[in-house]
Amino acid sequence: PIDIERENNADLMLTFDMKVDRAPRTPFTLSMLCVGANCGASVPLSGLIAGAEWTRYGVPLKCFAAKGTAMQRISTPFALRMTGPATVNLSRVALDTVVDKVLSCPA
C-alpha cells in the first residue's frame, strides 16, 4: 500500500485523461481502495460526454477520504467501472492539481 495522506492534505486530485467514444448504459464509477475490511470508496462520474475530445478530469482526493478511504494505505488508487458496452480511451492517471474539468463529489 501507498500513503497519500500528504497529497490529500495538499488538495490534490486523482486525475485522468479520457476520451469517451461510446458511453455505457449507466454512469462510470471511479473507486479508490485501501487495505482493510470495507476500506475504500466509489464516486459516480456524471458529466462524461460521448464524442467529446480528450479531457483531463479530476476528482478531489478529499471526496474519497470523506467516504471512508484511508489515505495512508491505498492499495488500488484507480478503478474505473461501467455497466454495458462502452468505448473509452484512457491515458495518464496521476495525482495533480491541473485539470480541464473537476468532477463533483456527491454527498
Side-chain angles (χ1 to χ4, degrees):
I2 59 172
D3 183 349
I4 58 171
E5 184 67 32
R6 193 163 108 185
E7 289 81 353
N8 181 46
N9 291 335
D11 292 328
L12 269 79
M13 292 180 274
L14 178 58
T15 67
F16 54 99
D17 295 355
M18 190 158 87
K19 182 178 182 299
V20 180
D21 292 329
R22 180 178 168 203
R25 288 191 313 255
T26 60
F28 293 95
T29 301
L30 180 60
S31 301
M32 183 178 280
L33 306 174
C34 46
V35 175
N38 300 316
C39 191
S42 297
V43 224
L45 301 179
S46 56
L48 303 181
I49 301 167
E53 295 300 315
W54 278 97
T55 304
R56 179 164 295 158
Y57 296 100
V59 177
L61 291 176
K62 290 190 184 304
C63 289
F64 297 102
K67 291 178 173 273
T69 304
M71 295 304 198
Q72 314 87 320
R73 46 185 213 267
I74 299 297
S75 59
T76 304
F78 183 92
L80 186 65
R81 300 184 199 291
M82 62 197 82
T83 302
T87 306
V88 298
N89 300 284
L90 182 66
S91 174
R92 192 186 178 275
V93 174
L95 299 178
D96 205 340
T97 57
V98 179
V99 296
D100 298 319
K101 183 174 182 178
V102 177
L103 299 171
S104 64
C105 182

